[in-house]
Amino acid sequence: MVVLVTGSSGQLGQSLQYLAPNYQEIQFVFCTSADLNITNIAQCHAVFKQYQPDYCINAAAYTAVDKAESEPEKAHIINVIGAKNIAEVCKAYNTVLLHISTDFVFNGTKKSPYTEEDIPNPTGVYGKTKWEGEIAVQQTWEKHFIVRTSWVYSQFGHNFMKTMLRLASERDTISVVNDQIGTPTNAVDLADALVQIILTDNRQTTTDNFGIYNFSNEGQCSWYDFAKKIFEINKTQIELKAIPTSSFPTPAQRPAYSVLDKSKIKNTFGLSIKNWDACL
């Protein structure tokens, strides 16, 4: 079974590479943006023709949330046009698509975990382009799994955990917002969940499981709680101050609450999901 991964130099791509040796039945093809630029449809066709993948994990995305506010065209080309291109070539080669999306498709005003049935209402360019990318996938190719996730971190790439540890080595005090609530997701756990979806789907002759799924680790916390736990586990001595979002303005508005309900993915694929602090 051939599984092609786009955006393989990102956190999720590197996490899949980390796990790949555990899955002997899968031949992974890892493509960086240099190997496969999803905004170039001709290149997409050429790569798919070469590898004939059974599955494609589209981990390529424009994820610079604040920068997207000043680069809306770039975010649109990657997150919308790129997603549509990948869906088109998946359709041409009968490749099942696993497309990664985000909690940022929601505005964060809900007070209980978001389900797959909740109507997206993004507040910023990043969330808007990711939602439009979801729509493009849905309209282009029926054999898709859209997986929404949140607060992704890992030992790879750039992320909140690494930023906190770096800042702690440079400063005596760090201020972190305590009024944005969500769930950190270890990218390795997300990668493993995607492989489980593929293995389950591959064992079925027909599937009616296609559609949208939420995946993050379990539990919830604020960014302040997340930082506190990072320092606690790492035995880092630092003065950590809790501040409201209003004290830390950013170009893009963050969802105040973006906890995702994982019932659907757990029930459909038999996943057991660990708590965020255990994974940290």
Side-chain angles (χ1 to χ4, degrees), residues 24-216:
Q24 299 301 318
E25 66 271 53
I26 299 176
Q27 180 193 336
F28 284 97
V29 176
F30 292 104
C31 297
T32 65
S33 56
D35 305 317
L36 172 54
N37 178 354
I38 64 170
T39 67
N40 183 330
I41 189 72
Q43 194 178 21
C44 291
H45 275 289
V47 171
F48 271 63
K49 185 179 180 183
Q50 181 182 352
Y51 294 107
Q52 307 275 328
D54 301 290
Y55 292 84
C56 171
I57 297 175
N58 183 29
Y62 182 107
T63 57
V65 176
D66 288 322
K67 214 172 171 187
E69 297 298 313
S70 56
E71 292 185 343
E73 298 86 2
K74 190 174 179 185
H76 179 86
I77 289 167
I78 297 170
N79 290 346
V80 186
I81 306 300
K84 187 174 191 295
N85 287 346
I86 286 293
E88 278 185 13
V89 289
C90 282
K91 185 177 183 179
Y93 289 87
N94 196 28
T95 302
V96 176
L97 173 59
L98 287 81
H99 178 72
I100 312 306
S101 194
T102 172
D103 58 327
F104 272 78
V105 300
F106 299 115
N107 63 9
T109 57
K110 204 179 171 193
K111 296 292 187 283
S112 58
Y114 281 95
T115 72
E116 291 82 355
E117 279 70 48
D118 284 317
I119 307 299
N121 183 18
T123 57
V125 171
Y126 168 67
K128 187 168 181 286
T129 58
K130 288 300 287 181
W131 184 34
E132 289 171 352
E134 288 185 10
I135 294 166
V137 167
Q138 289 170 308
Q139 291 177 343
T140 305
W141 179 223
E142 63 197 20
K143 292 186 180 180
H144 66 260
F145 297 96
I146 292 169
V147 181
R148 292 173 179 156
T149 191
S150 65
W151 295 26
V152 178
Y153 72 94
S154 65
Q155 61 265 54
F156 310 109
H158 300 288
N159 56 68
F160 180 81
M161 178 189 74
K162 286 188 167 185
T163 300
M164 286 299 107
L165 293 173
R166 176 178 57 79
L167 289 176
S169 69
E170 300 167 358
R171 302 178 185 179
D172 300 322
T173 307
I174 299 176
S175 298
V176 181
V177 297
N178 69 342
D179 55 357
Q180 292 172 26
I181 307 299
T183 309
T185 304
N186 188 317
V188 175
D189 289 340
L190 173 59
D192 193 56
L194 296 173
V195 175
Q196 296 313 315
I197 291 173
I198 289 170
L199 293 175
T200 303
D201 181 71
N202 192 58
R203 283 194 289 266
Q204 296 171 338
T205 49
T206 59
T207 184
D208 51 6
N209 293 333
F210 296 128
I212 298 174
Y213 291 86
N214 293 334
F215 181 88
S216 69

